[in-house]
Amino acid sequence: MGQAREAAPVEAAAIGVDQTQITCSRTFAAWLAQHRVGLAFSSYQSGQLFLVGQFGNDNLSFHQRNFVRAMGLAPRGEELYLASLNQIWRFANVLGPDERANGHFDRLYVPRTAHVTGDVDAHEIAVEASGRIVFVNTRFSCLATVSRTHSFKPVWKPKFISRLAAEDRCHLNGLALEDGRVRYVTAVSATDVVDGWREHRVGGGLLIRVDDHEVVAGGFSMPHSPRVHDGWIWMLDSARGYLVRVDPVTGAKQDVAFCPGFLRGLSIHAGHAMVTLSLPRNLSFSGLPLEGEIARRGGTPWCGVQIIKLATGDVVEWIRLEGAIRELFDVAVLPGTTCPMAAPESGADLSTLLTIEAPDAPLDARAAS
């Protein structure tokens, strides 16, 4: 199996040939140990899935696998789902409670199912309580599920979208579960023309309730990643750089924390928010409020993950990536995990990784022979 990239909690060596340097807050490993969680985060720009954990004496593990255009993540028990360029992947942990891979990995995710969707620009993904996979089909401006026969099966579209077309009309991008069902989505605008959202990046963003198509709140700048937690809808006002919370009844908005990067990806655990930050694609966040806010604060843009205490808005831990990787997409908390890793999508490591599920009843010795 592939080895983790192991590092001291403050600074890790460059990962692979892309020469990305990873640095972490001094107490990051201790925070993971205290909460007994691992993290997963994705980079569509570099096509990588990162699994982060800790082991031994405050050592950090960064395990990386390549998946083209790695996007949305959805952990579900012992499974992890990933949206990529052409597939929706389902990984399953094959280790028992007392088993370890390569000495210290307590969770080994192996790809078991790949639903081929084609390039629908799948963004965020969730698994409902019923087991139905729902993903944001951004290219076709709808929510969709996987199909046994076709690329996808649409399940919902905003009422302002007149028909399904591969035109990314409103840049639908995020979804939130509540009571085991997809309940809210985010869109950059309410436009119904090809690529129309690009003219409404500032102030045109919407938080929409799926059940009745009602706009809960508007006026966001490129919103992403709604999440329901503790009676609030938490989300990212990405082009402003703010983690915000929204009252689901009144639609009242409140800024909670500022982060110096373009925000996509949000996971909430034990009173903390994990968010991913990205650098500008063209050296500046041209035309976005984020650029002026960073300058006003005397900061510089980040690429990485920040952990924010919800009660105060303080950044308590962080991971920073510098070098070739400039953009991240999603982040997910892996509860009950100390040190996770994943098998590759193909190749010798996957071919020789053979595991056997226990049979329902003892096999007849004579029949087996």
Side-chain angles (χ1 to χ4, degrees):
M1 298 304 304
Q3 296 291 325
R5 301 291 178 173
E6 300 163 5
V10 176
E11 184 166 328
I15 294 181
V17 298
D18 53 18
Q19 299 301 303
T20 293
Q21 187 77 13
I22 298 179
T23 54
C24 301
S25 53
R26 181 173 55 85
T27 55
F28 183 75
W31 191 93
L32 293 177
Q34 175 189 353
H35 292 276
R36 196 166 179 252
V37 297
L39 293 182
F41 64 90
S42 58
S43 170
Y44 63 96
Q45 172 233 347
S46 62
Q48 291 172 317
L49 168 66
F50 288 88
L51 297 171
V52 186
Q54 57 81 32
F55 64 96
N57 185 24
D58 287 339
N59 292 307
L60 283 173
S61 169
F62 286 83
H63 192 272
Q64 171 262 322
R65 288 299 186 191
N66 297 329
F67 290 88
V68 178
R69 196 172 170 79
M71 297 279 278
L73 294 164
R76 184 174 187 254
E78 296 293 302
E79 297 178 326
L80 178 65
Y81 292 77
L82 169 69
S84 67
L85 176 65
N86 292 312
Q87 295 99 357
I88 302 295
W89 293 92
R90 181 183 67 86
F91 300 80
N93 173 40
V94 300
L95 298 180
D98 299 319
E99 290 185 295
R100 297 293 181 269
N102 291 353
H104 55 253
F105 295 100
D106 66 338
R107 192 164 291 189
L108 170 54
Y109 290 107
V110 178
R112 291 304 187 202
T113 308
H115 297 279
V116 179
T117 62
D119 183 4
V120 296
D121 198 15
H123 275 51
E124 291 195 338
I125 183 172
V127 184
E128 296 182 313
S130 65
R132 183 176 71 164
I133 300 168
V134 180
F135 62 92
V136 182
N137 185 330
T138 302
R139 190 175 182 188
F140 283 84
S141 308
C142 70
L143 296 179
T145 189
V146 297
S147 168
R148 293 179 62 88
T149 307
H150 301 284
S151 298
F152 63 92
K153 179 180 180 180
V155 298
W156 181 89
K157 68 176 180 65
K159 63 182 179 181
F160 53 78
I161 296 296
S162 57
R163 66 181 183 88
L164 298 182
E167 296 178 350
D168 188 7
R169 295 181 173 188
C170 64
H171 206 65
L172 197 71
N173 56 46
L175 80 175
L177 291 176
E178 185 178 37
D179 298 328
R181 294 173 51 237
V182 174
R183 191 63 57 88
Y184 300 98
V185 297
T186 48
V188 173
S189 71
T191 47
D192 192 31
V193 295
V194 58
D195 235 19
W197 61 273
R198 294 188 185 276
E199 303 302 319
H200 302 272
R201 296 180 302 159
V202 179
L206 307 171
L207 172 66
I208 305 170
R209 189 167 49 236
V210 169
D211 290 349
D212 56 9
H213 293 261
E214 288 301 310
V215 174
V216 178
F220 300 103
S221 296
M222 302 186 72
H224 285 77
S225 307
R227 306 288 185 260
V228 177
H229 174 74
D230 199 24
W232 297 91
I233 305 169
W234 302 80
M235 54 187 290
L236 305 174
D237 203 358
S238 304
R240 292 178 58 240
Y242 277 93
L243 168 68
V244 303
R245 68 180 187 179
V246 179
D247 186 318
V249 177
T250 67
K253 301 177 290 185
Q254 180 181 354
D255 292 339
V256 176
F258 176 76
C259 301
F262 191 89
L263 303 179
R264 277 174 297 233
L266 169 63
S267 188
I268 297 177
H269 178 81
H272 293 82
M274 277 57 64
V275 299
T276 64
L277 297 78
S278 295
L279 297 175
R281 292 178 181 171
N282 300 311
L283 302 181
S284 71
F285 294 109
S286 179
L288 301 182
L290 176 59
E291 186 167 58
E293 185 69 10
I294 294 175
R296 186 182 70 81
R297 293 169 177 263
T300 58
W302 270 50
C303 176
V305 178
Q306 293 188 350
I307 300 179
I308 301 164
K309 189 172 183 179
L310 295 179
T312 63
D314 295 339
V315 177
V316 296
E317 304 291 346
W318 49 265
I319 305 169
R320 189 168 187 174
L321 287 75
E322 298 175 281
I325 297 179
R326 300 178 56 85
E327 297 186 46
L328 303 181
F329 186 77
D330 206 358
V331 60
V333 175
L334 307 175
T337 305
T338 300
C339 195
M341 68 176 292
E345 62 173 310
S346 61
D349 280 352
L350 184 63
S351 297
T352 57
L353 178 58
L354 305 176
T355 62
I356 304 174
E357 183 175 352
D360 294 332
L363 298 178
D364 183 86
R366 289 170 298 176
S369 62

